[in-house]
């Protein structure tokens, strides 16, 4: 169902600058099977979603065209990714999509409908991480190695022109199942789970948001809904 497959997709609709009347309109159902842990991105006004699990790991990948309100199946992702990351980064003058999870990080070329494996994100295998992009640089980090596993606060920048990752300042705390979006030239990361300080302070959910600016993290206004995890996020124009 729609509440399951869209989690962690990180879609950005670049074809619309406003959401008229602050309303929602139901669109054509996703073309593939219902799932959790999907990933996605948007390129040139079209959305791309795939991977995840419905009890079995899925590798199918789909394109959504908002003009025709239709889904088209595309080339399968050449890896098993559940709760991975997705972002679209400017590769010279062309937007390309990137999906990552486990030991795989790959580039999708929408013109040729092909996948190319790229340098794996550093810092260890993880799931439920976050990612966003600004111009020709992608940003990714946080997550957890698996159920009951290692929590992460590390963050990295990816440069597609050189296929290189660089280390950034760590996120303010270990977290997973957070959200990320880009708005008005800045990346924002927040919500999800805080590891706490065991054994005194157990894990807890948060509604805090941080903005990445000037090579570091600055607190932004918290989401007024209260602590949440496994939320979804997107941006339209200069708003997230």
């Amino acid at each position: 169902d729609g509440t399951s497959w869209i989690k962690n997709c990180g879609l950005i609709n670049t074809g619309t600058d406003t959401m008229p009347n602050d309303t929602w309109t139901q669109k054509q159902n996703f073309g593939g099977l219902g799932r959790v842990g999907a990933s996605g991105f948007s390129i040139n006004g079209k959305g791309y979603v795939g991977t995840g699990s419905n009890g079995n790991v899925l590798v199918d990948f789909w394109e959504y065209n908002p003009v025709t309100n239709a889904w088209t199946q595309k080339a399968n992702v050449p890896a098993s990714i559940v709760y991975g990351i997705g972002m679209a980064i400017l590769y010279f003058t062309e937007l390309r999509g990137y999906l990552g999870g486990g030991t795989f990080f790959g580039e999708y070329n929408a013109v040729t409908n092909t996948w190319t494996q790229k340098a794996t994100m550093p810092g260890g295998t993880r799931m439920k991480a976050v990612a966003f992009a600004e111009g020709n640089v992608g940003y990714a980090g946080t997550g957890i190695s698996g159920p009951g596993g290692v929590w992460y606060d590390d963050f990295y920048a990816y440069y597609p022109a050189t296929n290189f990752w660089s280390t950034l300042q760590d996120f303010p705390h270990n977290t997973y199942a957070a959200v990320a979006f880009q708005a008005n030239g800045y990346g924002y990361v927040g919500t999800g789970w805080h590891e706490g300080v065991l054994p005194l302070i157990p894990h807890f959910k948060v509604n805090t948001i941080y903005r990445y600016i000037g090579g570091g993290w600055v607190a932004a206004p918290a989401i007024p809904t209260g602590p949440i995890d496994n939320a979804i996020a997107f941006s339209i124009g200069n708003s997230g």
Side-chain angles (χ1 to χ4, degrees):
D1 67 57
T3 60
S4 295
W5 65 258
I6 200 168
K7 285 183 180 179
N8 293 347
C9 289
L11 294 179
I12 302 174
N13 185 347
T14 58
T16 302
D17 291 328
T18 60
M19 185 174 287
N21 304 318
D22 190 27
T23 59
W24 290 91
T25 303
Q26 186 167 355
K27 296 297 183 179
Q28 180 64 38
N29 287 346
F30 177 58
L33 298 172
R35 67 195 64 199
V36 297
S39 300
F41 47 79
S42 64
I43 299 175
N44 299 329
K46 295 180 180 179
Y48 295 85
V49 180
T51 69
S53 171
N54 67 347
N56 296 309
V57 175
L58 302 169
V59 297
D60 55 329
F61 198 67
W62 297 76
E63 175 192 86
Y64 176 71
N65 186 332
V67 176
T68 60
N69 187 29
W71 292 91
T72 303
Q73 188 165 5
K74 296 296 181 176
N76 286 350
V77 180
S80 299
I81 301 174
V82 182
Y83 293 111
I85 57 172
M87 53 185 163
I89 311 172
L90 190 63
Y91 180 79
F92 295 100
T93 60
E94 176 187 347
L95 270 177
R96 294 188 180 180
Y98 296 84
L99 289 187
T103 59
F104 176 82
F105 184 75
E107 175 188 86
Y108 178 71
N109 185 325
V111 176
T112 60
N113 187 32
T114 55
W115 289 93
T116 303
Q117 185 159 359
K118 296 295 182 176
T120 304
M121 176 179 164
T125 300
R126 67 191 69 197
M127 60 189 295
K128 295 194 174 184
V130 296
F132 62 89
E134 173 59 29
N136 59 359
V137 183
Y139 300 86
T142 71
I144 191 170
S145 62
V150 177
W151 296 53
Y152 295 105
D153 63 358
D154 52 342
F155 235 87
Y156 303 91
Y158 177 71
Y159 302 88
T162 56
N163 189 31
F164 176 75
W165 291 89
S166 67
T167 303
L168 304 178
Q169 180 179 329
D170 289 343
F171 191 68
H173 59 84
N174 290 342
T175 185
Y176 77 91
V179 294
F181 59 90
Q182 185 273 355
N184 201 25
Y186 299 102
Y188 293 83
V189 175
T191 71
W193 283 93
H194 189 301
E195 188 176 22
V197 183
L198 298 175
L200 299 178
I201 305 175
H203 314 323
F204 59 96
K205 289 186 285 188
V206 298
N207 65 337
T208 50
I209 300 289
Y210 292 88
R211 179 173 64 178
Y212 185 74
I213 179 174
W217 298 96
V218 177
I223 292 181
T225 56
I228 52 175
D229 67 313
N230 287 307
I232 59 173
F234 57 87
S235 61
I236 298 177
N238 291 327
S239 300

